[in-house]
Amino acid sequence: AKSNGRNNYQFFTADMNARASERLSLETSMRDALSRGEFEVFFQPQVGLEHGQIIGAEALVRWNHPTQGLVAPSKFIPIAEESRMIVPLGNWVLRRSCELAAQWQREGLPPITIAVNLSPLQLHQSNLLDLIQDALDTAGLDAKYLELEVTESVVMQEVEHVMAMLHGIKQLGVKLSLDDFGTGYSSLSYLKRFAFNKLKVDQSFVRDISSDANDAAIVLAIIGLGKTLGMSVLAEGVETDLQLEFLRRAQTDSIQGYLYSKPLPSDAFRLLMLENRPL
Ligand code: C2E
Ligand code: CA
Ligand code: CA
Ligand code: CA
């Protein structure tokens, strides 16, 4: 067993090296990927439970890597955060999303709200409010159709600065939602300090609502809390009719998940809106 230990160690380091070099190669190729047009924004519908219609869409970035194919966000977003590439990338996603939303409205499609993820590093740009206003002006999109999603981790750091920025965003007329709710820390104290328009219940709580009494209780509590504080509540990761039934009974305002649609390329999302299929 002792002699094996050494071999295991070698396998382990070989694996670590492979991962580290994959990481490095992704980081290097990400630098030029933006200018080469390798990123694309996909859209996943958000459906209101009252009428069963698409009321919004979350913008989710995709990377069409020239040799590795489609790279998942779970692989490159963390690298983009560490290398600060998330700042130019996130700003590009914001501009592109506003542009497409305005274009769809000009084509006569029913106006919807576009939700764009905002990373903690983006929130620390001193000119963020100007960047948002410029993205709206350039696209010709009314601020009320833009929503920015922040996670609880954002609100954790440099509270004063973050609060000031969130208030500034709200004053532009842009909406704010608290993403992945329930997975971070100190959620409750921030709910008291800032009036988010929407709470997004994390998919980890939604997954087993129809079988796990604890998850069901947590989701009911989050929905009640959100409503009491005057927020709209959206459940993420809804995949089954059973989950939908539970969420309907619990008076969730809207849902997002594979049950209605996966995130789609912009053209396919546009067709889905035209189709106007009820949930
Ligand atoms: P997120 O913001 O929580 O986005 C929701 C994720 O759940 C998306 O994964 C979406 O495809 C996935 N999802 C939606 N419905 C279902 C479902 O019914 N079942 C399951 N199992 N999954 C579902 P995606 O697109 O892979 O993105 C992963 C994460 O990457 C996002 O989590 C977000 O944190 C980050 N991300 C994606 N695009 C951006 C971006 O433009 N900027 C920033 N800062 N982060 C982004
Ligand atoms: Ca999100
Ligand atoms: Ca989320
Ligand atoms: Ca998430």
Side-chain angles (χ1 to χ4, degrees):
K2 239 186 181 164
S3 58
N4 264 341
R6 193 169 174 176
N7 284 333
N8 284 342
Y9 175 73
Q10 281 170 349
F11 280 123
F12 181 63
T13 50
D15 184 53
M16 295 267 288
N17 283 334
R19 275 174 201 237
S21 72
E22 189 200 9
R23 227 185 142 76
L24 189 64
S25 102
L26 279 183
E27 188 180 327
T28 312
S29 51
M30 211 185 303
R31 275 188 230 289
D32 301 310
L34 244 189
S35 51
R36 284 196 301 252
E38 290 171 15
F39 290 106
E40 185 179 350
V41 184
F42 276 36
F43 295 88
Q44 185 177 36
Q46 300 180 332
V47 184
L49 290 191
E50 196 179 344
H51 304 292
Q53 305 286 345
I54 299 177
I55 54 171
E58 179 172 4
L60 294 156
V61 72
R62 297 290 180 264
W63 183 5
N64 300 300
H65 192 281
T67 56
Q68 300 193 30
L70 208 67
V71 188
S74 59
K75 261 202 165 157
F76 71 86
I77 293 284
I79 301 174
E81 298 269 4
E82 274 173 42
S83 60
R84 305 189 65 92
M85 265 292 301
I86 193 70
V87 173
L89 177 60
N91 291 341
W92 176 80
V93 172
L94 173 67
R95 297 185 76 85
R96 181 77 184 126
S97 303
C98 290
E99 190 178 291
L100 284 164
Q103 190 181 309
W104 293 327
Q105 286 189 21
R106 282 194 293 270
E107 288 172 17
L109 287 160
I112 59 165
T113 301
I114 296 293
V116 178
N117 292 285
L118 198 64
S119 103
L121 286 173
Q122 283 178 277
L123 256 178
H124 286 94
Q125 300 173 100
S126 54
N127 63 342
L128 178 64
L129 298 181
D130 291 335
L131 289 174
I132 297 170
Q133 188 62 60
D134 190 60
L136 292 167
D137 291 344
T138 307
L141 185 71
D142 192 314
K144 70 179 178 196
Y145 297 116
L146 177 64
E147 180 173 288
L148 295 174
E149 298 193 356
V150 299
T151 60
E152 293 167 87
S153 63
V154 152
V155 200
M156 289 285 298
Q157 313 141 3
E158 296 180 61
V159 182
E160 297 312 320
H161 170 84
V162 169
M163 287 297 157
M165 210 45 119
L166 295 181
H167 282 290
I169 291 172
K170 198 164 209 179
Q171 264 164 2
L172 296 178
V174 172
K175 303 201 164 52
L176 279 159
S177 70
L178 192 51
D179 199 4
D180 300 346
F181 187 74
T183 61
Y185 323 74
S186 311
S187 346
L188 299 177
S189 58
Y190 295 113
L191 282 186
K192 197 176 78 177
R193 294 197 54 180
F194 187 82
F196 288 93
N197 300 89
K198 188 186 280 175
L199 265 193
K200 295 189 79 175
V201 184
D202 191 70
Q203 56 188 57
S204 60
F205 299 114
V206 173
R207 195 169 304 131
D208 299 322
I209 35 174
S210 8
S211 57
D212 184 323
N214 289 334
D215 284 344
I218 290 169
V219 169
L220 286 176
I222 294 176
I223 294 170
L225 178 70
K227 296 210 163 244
T228 305
L229 295 173
M231 285 177 278
S232 164
V233 180
L234 178 145
E236 296 191 87
V238 179
E239 297 181 350
T240 69
D241 285 316
L242 269 178
Q243 292 166 338
L244 178 63
E245 260 334 291
F246 180 97
L247 294 163
R248 265 193 209 289
R249 280 201 302 270
Q251 315 238 294
T252 314
D253 298 290
S254 54
I255 60 124
Q256 183 184 335
Y258 296 168
L259 179 66
Y260 190 81
S261 170
K262 292 197 168 185
L264 299 171
S266 58
D267 284 344
F269 178 74
R270 194 181 150 278
L271 290 177
L272 188 72
M273 276 201 292
L274 279 170
E275 191 186 318
N276 202 24
R277 162 175 56 93
L279 176 68

